[in-house]
Amino acid sequence: MAASAWRASKADIAAIVGARHGDPFAVLGPHAAQAGLVIRALVPGARSVFVQGPSAAVPMTCRHPDGFFEALIPAGTDIHRYRLHARNADCTWDFDDPFSFGPVLGALDDYLLIEGTHQKLYERLGAHLMTVDGVTGVHFAVWAPHASRVSVVGDFNAWDGRRHPMRKRIDSGLWEIFAPGIVEGAVYKFEIASADDRLQPLKADPFGFAAELRPSTASVVARTDAFIWTDAGYLRERRNGDPRRQPMAIYEAHLGSWRRRGDGGFLSYDQIAEAMIPYAAELGFTHIELMPVNEHPLDDSWGYQPVGLFAPTRRFGDPSGFARFVDRAHAAGIGVILDWVPAHFPTDVHGLANFDGEPLYEYADPRKGFQPDWNTAIYDFGRREVVNVLVANALYWLERFHIDGLRVDAVASMLYLDYSRRAGEWVPNEDGGRDNRDAVRFLRQVNTLAYGLHPGTVMIAEESTDWPSVSGPVDGGGLGFGFKWNMGWMHDTLDYIAQEPVHRRWHHDKLTFGLMYGFSENFVLPLSHDEVVHGKRTILGRIPGDAWRRAATGRAYYAFMWAYPGKKLLFMGQEFGQLSEWNFAGELDWHLLNDPLHSGLRRCVRDLNNLYRSIPALHARDCEAEGFRWIVVDDAKQSVFAWLRLSGTGDPPVVVVCNFTPVPRHGYRVGLPSLGRWREILNTDASVYGGSGLGNLGGVEAVARPSHGMSASADLLLPPLATLYFQYEPG
């Protein structure tokens, strides 16, 4: 062998210096040679570099003025774990050579990703603090199969893509590097060259666990695996319950606009927890549902166009702050549900769109891969690796942050290939149909794994069509969700209360029709954020009449809802009758609580939650027809409704009566299932709520006079614009 055979070729050196070498680990770092050990390094800015071993320091030869150095370490020299010592005219520095470390990922990671079954992919991809061969640093890994070169760049290497080019795993398209010396808090992105060597915009880490505060867009090295949880008892109890048979009253909140600091800035996760959790607990809610906390670039999107699927948004703090929020909620007995957006993603240049120079996360055909409603890209549900990322993301929130459930946004847009598209603008499935079978398989997979690996959690679909069996089991042909939002009920009932009372008789079916399909799914009754923006007005804002009538109707409507079969969801501010539409850039109108009508409405919501939680008849059969029976269904002329709620377990039943006109009804006879005393346990017209104080103080006595198909009945006083609950008191 010639004496110089160990030297790097000029072509390799030029490719390394030009950041276009496809396999930098084949050139840089230590390599065995016949004459000893060759070590090569690229150290831009250095005039001289030495290889420092336990007992030797060997000078390196500069082969290129941009900092390519090379040295031959003679055989027998003790240099098995070395560092590099660099000098220039201004300073000296020592560092561990990132090219001296072997791969961290293994063949199993490649196989599981390709197969689409890597359930803990978040433990392998992204940026992970670790120690390798006694050296601390960060292991970076990213999926970019079309790329010709990927480098991690950041504040630790002057954003220079030549310094940390990554090792490609050919089988899977994963790229990785262990970068010694990098610490938590380091800011980074990926520099990617496409298959034809075109440099792409710098990309944030798809698996980044934290991010910079917008408008900055880089990922931040962070840990999400070191938080000390105190909720073991809560999780143990959660595992043993059946959510369908338990009370679920959800307070939906947007963290950025619930409350603000005095200067208008955001509260931290800890500050929000300190205020919101006791508030929700005092009002009796069982869960808080958070609009997406995933990192997103645009406040106006409310979080529904996320870029950082694995990162709690920096707006309110770091990941540990969000973990403390969840832990504190669990300590108060409150579950946390996250809105989750696997349907689409924004096309911001630092995000997933054309990630490695070609469509990767999105369908390549814009007829499938572009969402015209929101100008976003649609995930390629037919690609196993993409599905794997999304499934792993769902499991990540359940595992790492102990989340109690995910409300999956925009499910209808996933299920239908022609969603918001005209003829000729969509691609049918293989049988010519409009159902996206890739998306169906994905939803079934994620629901099966979520329930199988995290018993007691809930998966909730925001699905606005009549797709069959959304909350049916997968093995029975369903999608496998635990619950589905009842959008039809929401629209019908909101339309009803928006009518003048004199006209409600002509819209009576809007409150009765929902029971025609009310048990076809496990339903959540949502009064969500979408219903209080964009000119729709707030709940109270759409009710006609003066302030008293609006508040009275609101109380009656909420009591109607809380006694109606299905779990409950109320958007923040509606519990006290927010009058102005929701503004994501401000805070709620808390000053309204100084008004007795608004504070009375909130008190009514509190009492409704307490009754709903404590009385099995009001929640145990929310999803089963056996828990409901109409008593008065056809009194459209007087806009009166009455029904029976049953627990199915022998607990006393509850009778619900609603009067949606401002006319008191004296001596209104209602059939009852049992003789004896029926106590009035709720009257939304009570003076304590701001009502007129009419009602049935002390309850009513059911006598043996058949009515409404029942053997007993009683004469009731129905207050104006009010809902009453009566509970049977066994003698």
Side-chain angles (χ1 to χ4, degrees):
M1 172 181 279
S4 61
W6 52 271
R7 294 186 182 276
S9 70
K10 290 182 179 180
D12 279 340
I13 294 173
I16 292 291
V17 169
R20 51 182 173 79
H21 201 292
D23 186 10
F25 279 83
V27 178
L28 299 175
H31 297 273
Q34 186 174 1
L37 182 70
V38 178
I39 296 177
R40 304 187 188 96
L42 183 69
V43 192
R47 286 189 176 181
S48 61
V49 178
F50 294 82
V51 178
Q52 291 186 319
S55 59
V58 179
M60 303 184 77
T61 301
C62 182
R63 296 281 313 278
H64 193 283
D66 283 351
F68 188 95
F69 291 86
E70 185 176 50
L72 177 65
I73 312 299
T77 305
D78 185 8
I79 205 82
H80 66 280
R81 169 47 62 199
Y82 66 89
R83 303 191 83 211
L84 298 176
H85 173 80
R87 302 174 183 173
N88 61 25
D90 299 318
C91 61
T92 65
W93 64 99
D94 298 300
F95 61 97
D96 289 286
D97 181 6
F99 297 93
S100 67
F101 297 89
V104 172
L105 301 179
L108 184 60
D109 296 305
D110 297 326
Y111 176 80
L112 293 178
L113 175 63
I114 295 169
E115 189 181 57
T117 59
H118 207 314
Q119 295 173 8
K120 294 194 174 184
L121 194 59
Y122 54 86
E123 292 185 350
R124 308 301 280 166
L125 300 192
H128 295 269
L129 291 150
M130 62 176 58
T131 300
V132 177
D133 294 342
V135 178
T136 59
V138 175
H139 177 253
F140 295 95
V142 66
W143 179 55
H146 304 128
S148 61
R149 192 259 302 173
V150 179
S151 299
V152 60
V153 296
D155 54 4
F156 47 84
N157 64 9
W159 300 89
D160 186 345
R162 300 174 299 170
R163 301 193 184 203
H164 288 90
M166 304 171 77
R167 173 190 279 115
K168 185 175 185 179
R169 304 185 65 83
I170 302 299
D171 291 341
S172 61
L174 292 172
W175 297 76
E176 65 167 322
I177 190 171
F178 175 71
I182 298 178
V183 299
E184 190 167 8
V187 174
Y188 71 99
K189 284 186 175 181
F190 293 113
E191 182 179 278
I192 299 175
S194 64
D196 57 0
D197 292 327
R198 289 177 294 108
L199 204 59
Q200 302 302 300
L202 294 181
K203 295 289 187 177
D205 186 354
F207 280 78
F209 299 136
E212 292 183 299
L213 178 63
R214 55 89 175 105
S216 298
T217 57
S219 301
V220 178
V221 174
R223 296 194 67 172
T224 62
D225 60 348
F227 184 74
I228 299 175
W229 293 90
T230 65
D231 62 351
Y234 175 90
L235 296 181
R236 185 165 51 249
E237 183 176 349
R238 186 187 75 181
R239 283 194 295 270
N240 296 328
D242 178 357
R244 295 177 309 142
R245 298 286 179 86
Q246 294 176 326
M248 181 183 291
I250 303 167
Y251 186 64
E252 186 192 21
H254 177 259
L255 291 182
S257 58
W258 187 72
R259 282 194 185 272
R260 291 284 183 112
R261 297 198 314 251
D263 62 1
F266 294 126
L267 299 177
S268 69
Y269 287 117
D270 291 305
Q271 290 169 326
I272 297 169
E274 185 176 351
M276 181 185 289
I277 291 169
Y279 180 82
E282 194 274 332
L283 289 180
F285 287 98
T286 64
H287 293 76
I288 295 173
E289 179 176 321
L290 300 179
M291 293 166 69
V293 301
N294 314 77
E295 193 56 76
H296 53 283
L298 184 65
D299 291 8
D300 304 55
S301 77
W302 312 337
Y304 290 101
Q305 294 194 12
V307 167
L309 286 179
F310 292 82
T313 178
R314 179 66 65 174
R315 289 167 176 81
F316 317 113
D318 61 14
S320 62
F322 180 67
R324 287 192 296 273
F325 177 96
V326 177
D327 199 48
R328 184 164 181 165
H330 288 173
I334 295 176
V336 178
I337 298 169
L338 286 190
D339 277 12
W340 185 53
V341 190
H344 61 121
F345 58 89
T347 56
D348 298 62
V349 295
H350 69 284
L352 299 179
N354 291 305
F355 187 75
D356 57 4
E358 301 178 30
L360 180 64
Y361 285 91
E362 67 268 43
Y363 287 107
D365 188 333
R367 293 175 298 170
K368 295 179 70 175
F370 181 72
Q371 175 49 256
D373 282 356
W374 307 303
N375 291 320
T376 52
I378 299 171
Y379 287 104
D380 184 349
F381 301 112
R383 184 158 193 164
R384 289 190 297 267
E385 298 95 334
V386 173
V387 167
N388 197 161
V389 171
L390 293 173
V391 170
N393 182 248
L395 300 179
Y396 165 81
W397 290 104
L398 301 177
E399 173 71 28
R400 285 284 171 89
F401 290 101
H402 294 196
I403 295 301
D404 299 278
L406 299 173
R407 175 266 197 185
V408 184
D409 182 65
V411 170
S413 74
M414 303 166 66
L415 293 174
Y416 297 99
L417 294 165
D418 63 345
Y419 185 87
S420 289
R421 298 178 190 274
R422 294 171 295 194
E425 296 178 345
W426 58 284
V427 181
N429 62 32
E430 56 268 30
D431 294 325
R434 57 196 286 255
D435 52 309
N436 187 336
R437 295 174 182 177
D438 295 336
V440 169
R441 283 188 289 269
F442 158 66
L443 291 170
R444 288 172 172 166
Q445 180 182 351
V446 72
N447 287 329
T448 298
L449 287 171
Y451 281 112
L453 297 174
H454 299 279
T457 57
V458 292
M459 298 293 287
I460 304 170
E462 186 214 16
E463 203 285 309
S464 56
T465 74
D466 59 355
W467 185 279
S469 198
V470 170
S471 58
V474 169
D475 58 9
L479 294 182
F481 284 97
F483 296 95
K484 171 183 172 174
W485 273 20
N486 194 336
M487 312 288 277
W489 174 92
M490 177 187 71
H491 292 304
D492 284 348
T493 61
L494 287 176
D495 284 348
Y496 180 86
I497 64 169
Q499 304 298 322
E500 291 284 352
V502 70
H503 297 146
R504 286 176 182 158
R505 65 171 67 187
W506 310 113
H507 301 273
H508 197 75
D509 63 328
K510 288 188 178 295
L511 294 198
T512 61
F513 179 69
L515 270 302
M516 299 294 291
Y517 62 87
F519 305 103
S520 61
E521 302 276 3
N522 302 325
F523 280 121
V524 171
L525 311 179
L527 296 178
S528 75
H529 62 277
D530 279 326
E531 303 313 307
V532 296
V533 291
H534 300 325
K536 296 180 181 178
R537 297 168 292 177
T538 61
I539 304 301
L540 254 60
R542 70 185 69 205
I543 298 172
D546 59 19
W548 190 92
R549 287 193 177 190
R550 288 200 303 269
T553 304
R555 296 191 302 267
Y557 176 55
Y558 287 164
F560 162 86
M561 170 182 173
W562 256 253
Y564 194 97
K567 308 309 179 184
K568 327 301 175 189
L569 179 143
L570 189 64
F571 183 58
M572 65 181 196
Q574 307 312 303
E575 76 276 11
F576 60 76
Q578 175 100 358
L579 295 177
S580 58
E581 288 192 345
W582 170 54
N583 175 16
F584 70 88
E587 70 170 16
L588 299 179
D589 293 336
W590 294 102
H591 65 273
L592 290 175
L593 288 170
N594 296 321
D595 184 320
L597 288 177
H598 292 277
S599 61
L601 179 60
R602 184 174 68 170
R603 182 170 185 170
C604 182
V605 169
R606 181 199 66 186
D607 291 350
L608 285 170
N609 274 330
N610 290 337
L611 289 171
Y612 173 67
R613 295 176 65 165
S614 62
I615 298 176
L618 291 175
H619 66 255
R621 291 297 186 271
D622 264 335
C623 304
E624 299 161 73
E626 293 78 9
F628 178 89
R629 178 180 172 183
W630 277 116
I631 301 174
V632 179
V633 68
D634 56 357
D635 190 359
K637 183 178 180 180
Q638 301 185 91
S639 297
V640 172
F641 307 81
W643 64 88
L644 186 67
R645 290 300 308 271
L646 302 155
S647 70
T649 57
D651 296 282
V654 172
V655 167
V656 182
V657 187
C658 304
N659 175 18
F660 279 106
T661 69
V663 180
R665 309 290 180 188
H666 296 271
Y668 192 96
R669 180 158 294 277
V670 172
L672 297 170
S674 302
L675 293 168
R677 198 73 182 164
W678 288 79
R679 182 167 57 95
E680 186 181 80
I681 59 173
L682 178 84
N683 178 353
T684 65
D685 190 50
S687 56
V688 70
Y689 302 139
S692 64
L694 294 178
N696 304 268
L697 187 63
V700 296
E701 190 76 23
V703 298
R705 179 179 171 182
S707 183
H708 300 103
M710 297 187 183
S711 59
S713 63
D715 286 336
L716 310 180
L717 169 56
L718 306 186
L721 298 172
T723 294
L724 308 175
Y725 292 1
F726 296 90
Q727 187 172 35
Y728 180 63
E729 290 186 332

